[in-house]
Amino acid sequence: MKKTTYFVSFLALLFLSFLLGSCSRVSEGSNKAAEKIKLFVTATAQTEALKNPSPKDDAADDPAVWINPNDVENSRIIGTDKTGGLAVYNLDGKELFYYPDGRLNNVDIRYDFPLGEKKVALVAASNRSTKDITFYQVEETDGSLRKLPTVGFESPMKKNVYGFCLGVDTLTNTFYAYVNSKLGEVVQWKIQSEADTLKGEIVRTLKLSSKLEGMVADDTANTLFIGEEGKGIWKTTLTPNSSEVSMLADSDLKNNTMLEEDIEGLAIYRGGEGKNYLLASSQGNYSYAVFELVAPHRYIGSFRIKDGRVDAAEETDGIEAVSVALGEKYPQGIFVVQDGFNKDAKGKAIPQNFKIVDWRNIDSLIQNRMKK
Ligand code: CA
Ligand code: CA
Ligand code: CA
Ligand code: CA
């Protein structure tokens, strides 16, 4: 072959490998590690794809659910777009509101927060644009969000804010916000209000060894769970009186071969005695691990969300679980997950979204397959 032919073949090969590389990332989402997971459910519904990001952007990240106290069927899914805001959807997945308030990463909700004279549902998210926490009050009329003024929530961490959750000490009705960083830092704020303004006071800082993100608080057990992406799930007290952390033995990536890093979103499902679970997104094998919520947090099993009425969920970041009945459609609540590879009905890659699973599907897996 002539020199030029060599060069052209080289270029062609380079181009081909580039194509293959990007295709496997964006469209296919095939994954050898995921083949180990043999239990499946399908999603019942999905949210609209995010409107601003491109299909290649890692954009959707973490959901929360506002349970409408007056009309559960009109509850709302609140999902972060980490490229620029926060979207609010109805349970059919229709986008109702979008707030372009910065690179909001993780979002959480707590009810009955004393704001001045009122009690409100408080939604909050870690904001990587403003390096602090953005807070909202849920408007009960339509589930829209009203941004609240804040003081004292600027992050003192060396790295930018990343994972986030809320927690309530139910003994004293004290509300807390927790933020972490990719350096393993955790900061806890006490949240108070003066008229309409939220005031933050740092009450504890912790330092783990590497990248953290997913967190969830079990208010009734005074426990904060912290996911260290490459290691496993830690727990500590929700209240700031302890700096001890301990690893959930069954979540340790060194021991549990059904988990594949990163450990991402964490969520709690509270279905009553014997049906209380801690869930974790095992991002590396596109699955969700189920643990008993009660100590020692025994591992029950893992499942994936496969293609069904809507496409499968892959490479999930944030998750949320709701155990309250959301009308006839979801009598045992829902499980909501971010989908890393969203596809339209023809299989074409489109911007990311959130998948909604009827909890009954997961409950029957747990009762019939995992607990046998
Ligand atoms: Ca992602
Ligand atoms: Ca969340
Ligand atoms: Ca992450
Ligand atoms: Ca998908």
Side-chain angles (χ1 to χ4, degrees):
M1 270 195 281
K2 277 198 230 151
K3 251 187 188 163
T4 45
T5 325
Y6 273 124
F7 185 62
V8 168
S9 320
F10 171 69
L11 275 184
L13 262 174
L14 203 69
F15 181 64
L16 195 70
S17 59
F18 167 76
L19 260 186
L20 281 172
S22 58
C23 279
S24 64
R25 169 75 180 82
V26 178
S27 61
E28 203 33 67
S30 69
N31 173 325
K32 208 91 201 118
E35 289 167 16
K36 196 185 275 180
I37 310 297
K38 307 289 187 197
L39 299 180
F40 296 91
V41 297
T42 58
T44 312
Q46 62 183 335
T47 64
E48 285 180 57
L50 284 172
K51 294 196 171 73
N52 301 321
S54 91
K56 287 200 203 85
D57 288 333
D58 199 19
D61 196 85
D62 182 48
V65 176
W66 173 64
I67 300 157
N68 185 334
N70 306 311
D71 180 6
V72 284
E73 290 179 21
N74 264 312
S75 295
R76 301 284 182 252
I77 291 164
I78 301 161
T80 58
D81 168 3
K82 65 187 167 197
T83 70
L86 194 61
V88 177
Y89 310 91
N90 67 17
L91 292 181
D92 294 326
K94 185 179 164 42
E95 185 183 305
L96 305 175
F97 310 103
Y98 185 90
Y99 303 96
D101 290 337
R103 295 192 293 133
L104 297 169
N105 198 60
N106 286 179
V107 61
D108 203 1
I109 185 166
R110 283 296 182 275
Y111 299 86
D112 295 325
F113 176 79
L115 182 69
E117 302 294 297
K118 298 168 292 182
K119 292 266 177 88
V120 301
L122 192 66
V123 167
S126 46
N127 190 328
R128 293 175 60 78
S129 298
T130 52
K131 301 182 172 63
D132 63 0
I133 306 168
T134 300
F135 287 89
Y136 305 86
Q137 166 193 341
V138 181
E139 301 289 0
E140 280 200 8
T141 46
D142 57 2
S144 62
L145 302 178
R146 185 171 74 86
K147 199 167 160 183
L148 296 168
T150 59
V151 261
F153 291 97
E154 301 79 19
S155 168
M157 297 189 299
K158 289 204 183 83
K159 274 270 186 197
N160 200 353
V161 301
Y162 197 45
F164 175 80
C165 78
L166 291 170
V168 180
D169 174 6
T170 53
L171 290 180
T172 59
N173 203 34
T174 308
F175 286 66
Y176 295 108
Y178 309 82
V179 173
N180 63 37
S181 81
K182 293 184 182 178
L183 264 185
E185 303 157 282
V186 183
V187 179
Q188 176 176 1
W189 281 264
K190 182 171 159 182
I191 313 166
Q192 286 176 302
S193 75
E194 205 174 284
D196 245 13
T197 300
L198 298 183
K199 297 192 154 189
E201 178 196 341
I202 293 175
V203 290
R204 177 170 60 168
T205 58
L206 299 167
K207 178 76 172 70
L208 300 176
S209 59
S210 69
K211 192 177 177 191
L212 310 172
E213 188 172 1
M215 292 194 288
V216 69
D218 180 351
D219 297 348
T220 59
N222 189 28
T223 303
L224 173 70
F225 296 99
I226 305 168
E228 188 166 357
E229 294 191 347
K231 291 196 174 166
I233 304 168
W234 300 90
K235 72 170 181 173
T236 183
T237 54
L238 175 158
T239 45
N241 50 307
S242 159
S243 55
E244 274 177 33
V245 296
S246 58
M247 166 87 53
L248 274 52
D250 282 4
S251 79
D252 191 332
L253 291 171
K254 287 205 295 277
N255 307 325
N256 189 335
T257 58
M258 299 298 272
L259 303 177
E260 199 73 43
E261 64 182 276
D262 299 346
I263 293 290
E264 287 283 340
L266 302 179
I268 287 171
Y269 182 87
R270 214 178 283 280
E273 210 186 320
K275 287 193 170 188
N276 297 326
Y277 308 111
L278 171 70
L279 297 125
S281 166
S282 168
Q283 188 175 53
N285 57 6
Y286 301 174
S287 67
Y288 312 93
V290 186
F291 301 88
E292 284 177 353
L293 182 57
V294 64
H297 314 289
R298 194 177 62 86
Y299 172 71
I300 299 172
S302 295
F303 66 93
R304 295 180 59 191
I305 301 172
K306 66 176 181 182
D307 281 325
R309 194 183 303 171
V310 300
D311 64 294
E314 295 93 358
E315 210 186 87
T316 294
D317 288 312
I319 61 176
E320 181 60 294
V322 172
S323 42
V324 171
L326 298 175
E328 275 172 23
K329 211 167 165 187
Y330 300 116
Q332 291 179 21
I334 53 175
F335 183 51
V336 185
V337 310
Q338 181 258 3
D339 181 12
F341 304 111
N342 189 24
K343 293 176 194 169
D344 67 12
K346 291 183 182 137
K348 185 173 144 250
I350 54 174
Q352 294 178 336
N353 72 347
F354 298 92
K355 265 50 184 181
I356 303 158
V357 181
D358 182 341
W359 185 268
R360 287 178 295 182
N361 299 339
I362 297 166
D363 181 64
S364 73
L365 258 195
I366 294 173
Q367 305 313 323
N368 301 327
R369 305 286 298 278
M370 291 182 186
K371 283 193 171 170
K372 259 186 184 162

